[in-house]
Amino acid sequence: MSILQEKVKVINIGLGSFARDLESAGVDVTNVDWHPAAGGDEEVLALLDKLAPLAEEIDAANKEALGRVLQAEPVLVDLGPAGEMIAGLPERTLLHAGPPLEWKEMSGPMRGAVIGAVLFEGWADSSEAAEALAASGQLNFVPCHHYDAVGPMTGMLSPSMPVFVVENTTFGNRAYCSINEGLGKVLRFGAYSQEVLKRLAWLRDEFHPLLKQAILEVGGIQLKNITSQALQMGDECHNRNKAASALLLRELAPIIAGLELPRETVTRALDFMRGNEHFYLNVSMAACKASLDPARGIRYSTMVTAMTRNGTDFGIKISGLDDQWFTAPALAVDGLYFPGYSAADANPDLGDSTITETFGIGGFAMASAPAIVKFVGGSPQDALEYSRSMYRITLGENSSYTIPNLNFRGIPTGIDLRKVLEEDILPALNTGIAHKDAGVGQIGAGVVNPPLACFKKALVAFVEAHLGEEDN
């Protein structure tokens, strides 16, 4: 009976809600975050067990893959039309975000972006004619990833749209991304009004030649420095790029101001960059893509080299499985909406911008950017927990990019297919939300996960591919 006269102390294992209820009642509780391996999924556990004899080969391959990412040195080296900068881009080709899809499978915002791109290129003179051309089979729709490119939201890229060129100087590979147009009604969210097309034309005809000249004159900009500084200044470099955009402007503004161009041209360019706090996002995406690509195609590696979505499906790639896509239907985003909109208006998850999380920033570095919860929802504590949990599914840390709020730990880097399934923890992503109908644009932002089915499919394929090799 004496035990009941002493102060009660509780160790809670499993459901955190029990611990929170006891804490609210004033009980001293130690909570142990435990759940069954693989969420108790016996099929997944059996597949993971089959990989046990390959543990040494997998660990060595993952060390090589992670090492290549850690050695990356992304540098912004050029800017120019996609049709000139991206080698081998076929005629009448539109690049889009996410895994492959055809016109008939496209969501509203993706169709809106196609219509806008067709009008922008002058391939049709009305939205109706653009839609008919898209449905005719006379256009090629290809994922940006297939041409070393990435694009936020719809990721729509047509031949005359200018793209940033980022070179990973360690390995010599390049990656490409469009110029960020700002927020609201923009092509990447599926809007194609005259306002949108006029801005795209200005970016192509006036802004791009000016910015290209500045980039070439400065002799390239080291992006590792900018991203790492921005993480110390409250950005996570996916949905919050205030500091990074300002740091990039600091590098370029003196050069732009010194160009022998009409004062009004220079003023428009600087005003656009100053007023667009997401300007750095597209540069950051190209830097992440250039940093990750050398890790592709390493035999036995279980590292995730791409996560992306096209508004219909979510797709991932695994280093040791060449360039196969593993897809499942894209999920709805849990977020905050602009006035007048709700979840009923939202399109499923969309965009290549998850290349940032694949690299280890964005949702993985939300602890650096607690203020972002005002944009995507949740609390500052949630932001910390998102980052902490990502260390459990990654192969290591990148000490070149540190998180101040986690005692300057390196960002969690190198998503491991095995750990995602064994820990039953999905990558944390933050993202914008597009309206489900073509032509409307952005209506909010929030947090989402990839569908678990992508990872399960990849594990099945990995076991078949690599155990088959062993059997032979």
Side-chain angles (χ1 to χ4, degrees):
M1 297 296 289
S2 61
I3 190 171
L4 298 178
Q5 296 172 355
E6 298 175 359
K7 184 178 180 181
V8 176
K9 295 183 178 180
V10 176
I11 298 176
N12 180 69
I13 301 174
L15 287 177
S17 57
F18 289 164
R20 289 192 290 273
D21 288 344
L22 289 168
E23 284 176 336
S24 64
V27 177
D28 186 0
V29 181
T30 298
N31 187 50
V32 178
D33 183 12
W34 178 89
H35 55 268
D41 188 321
E42 293 185 0
E43 181 185 1
V44 170
L45 287 170
L47 289 168
L48 290 170
D49 283 345
K50 286 185 177 181
L51 291 181
L54 297 179
E56 189 173 332
E57 289 89 342
I58 292 173
D59 289 345
N62 284 340
K63 183 178 180 181
E64 174 66 22
L66 179 63
R68 293 186 190 183
V69 176
L70 300 183
Q71 293 174 58
E73 293 288 346
V75 180
L76 175 60
V77 296
D78 205 350
L79 176 68
E84 297 177 15
M85 296 289 112
I86 302 176
L89 198 63
E91 295 285 328
R92 294 281 176 127
T93 294
L94 295 178
L95 301 184
H96 62 78
L101 85 168
E102 298 298 328
W103 170 258
K104 63 183 178 184
E105 304 166 322
M106 290 183 183
S107 62
M110 188 64 82
R111 289 190 173 209
V114 168
I115 292 169
V118 169
L119 293 172
F120 178 67
E121 292 295 334
W123 296 341
D125 58 8
S126 69
S127 59
E128 293 79 10
E131 197 164 354
L133 178 62
S136 71
Q138 299 178 54
L139 301 179
N140 302 310
F141 300 115
V142 185
C144 292
H145 273 279
H146 290 191
Y147 282 91
D148 301 329
V150 281
M153 302 310 292
T154 64
M156 194 57 53
L157 260 182
S158 63
S160 67
M161 291 180 188
V163 292
F164 289 112
V165 182
V166 173
E167 181 169 321
N168 181 346
T169 57
T170 305
F171 296 95
N173 62 296
R174 291 186 167 192
Y176 311 91
C177 191
S178 57
I179 298 173
N180 191 286
E181 312 156 72
L183 295 178
K185 289 192 174 184
V186 289
L187 185 80
R188 72 177 187 278
F189 281 96
Y192 57 86
S193 63
Q194 283 302 311
E195 168 193 358
V196 174
L197 298 178
K198 183 179 178 182
R199 186 188 305 111
L200 289 173
W202 175 76
L203 289 172
R204 177 192 61 197
D205 299 334
E206 182 175 296
F207 182 70
H208 135 245
L210 174 152
L211 190 58
K212 177 185 179 75
Q213 189 175 346
I215 292 169
L216 294 179
E217 285 199 19
V218 81
I221 297 173
Q222 301 285 338
L223 299 177
K224 177 185 280 188
N225 295 341
I226 292 179
T227 301
S228 60
Q229 285 185 69
L231 292 177
Q232 312 303 306
M233 298 166 68
D235 282 358
E236 41 70 79
C237 295
H238 181 172
N239 270 294
R240 184 179 171 88
N241 290 280
K242 288 187 177 184
S245 296
L247 291 168
L248 180 61
L249 181 59
R250 187 180 68 172
E251 296 284 334
L252 290 168
I255 307 297
I256 293 173
L259 297 175
E260 294 183 359
L261 292 170
R263 175 177 293 275
E264 57 270 24
T265 301
V266 171
T267 300
R268 276 194 293 270
L270 292 175
D271 281 349
F272 173 72
M273 294 177 70
R274 181 178 57 82
N276 181 0
E277 293 178 343
H278 285 275
F279 188 80
Y280 188 72
L281 168 62
N282 296 36
V283 180
S284 171
M285 288 175 59
C288 293
K289 173 70 173 164
S291 300
L292 284 160
D293 274 357
R296 291 161 53 191
I298 298 176
R299 189 182 182 196
Y300 292 118
S301 174
T302 54
M303 198 176 91
V304 177
T305 55
M307 296 190 294
T308 182
R309 54 273 208 247
N310 57 32
T312 301
D313 291 324
F314 196 112
I316 67 170
K317 289 188 174 185
I318 306 297
S319 174
L321 291 172
D322 298 324
D323 276 331
Q324 294 182 62
W325 286 107
F326 300 97
T327 64
L331 303 179
V333 180
D334 180 18
L336 301 177
Y337 290 86
F338 298 163
Y341 297 106
S342 69
D345 302 307
N347 196 75
D349 196 15
L350 176 64
D352 283 336
S353 55
T354 38
I355 195 70
T356 58
E357 280 85 5
T358 315
F359 177 71
I361 53 177
F364 282 43
M366 280 180 69
S368 280
I372 199 174
V373 298
K374 290 187 175 180
F375 188 55
V376 301
S379 67
Q381 187 62 34
D382 292 332
L384 291 170
E385 291 306 319
Y386 283 132
S387 293
R388 286 180 177 136
S389 62
M390 294 302 97
Y391 290 103
R392 294 173 60 178
I393 61 170
T394 44
L395 296 165
E397 301 178 16
N398 192 335
S399 60
S400 295
Y401 307 87
T402 60
I403 300 176
N405 291 333
L406 295 181
N407 198 25
F408 295 97
R409 285 187 73 173
I411 55 172
T413 304
I415 301 168
D416 185 355
L417 169 66
R418 296 172 305 171
K419 290 186 176 182
V420 169
L421 291 166
E422 187 172 359
E423 294 283 345
D424 195 27
I425 296 174
L426 290 165
L429 319 171
N430 60 47
T431 186
I433 303 173
H435 197 283
K436 63 184 179 182
D437 295 332
V440 179
Q442 184 176 10
I443 60 170
V447 178
V448 68
N449 297 117
L452 179 63
C454 294
F455 295 89
K456 286 186 174 181
K457 289 179 180 178
L459 179 62
V460 170
F462 193 93
V463 169
E464 289 177 351
H466 294 85
L467 286 182
E469 291 175 5
E470 290 297 304
D471 291 342
N472 292 330

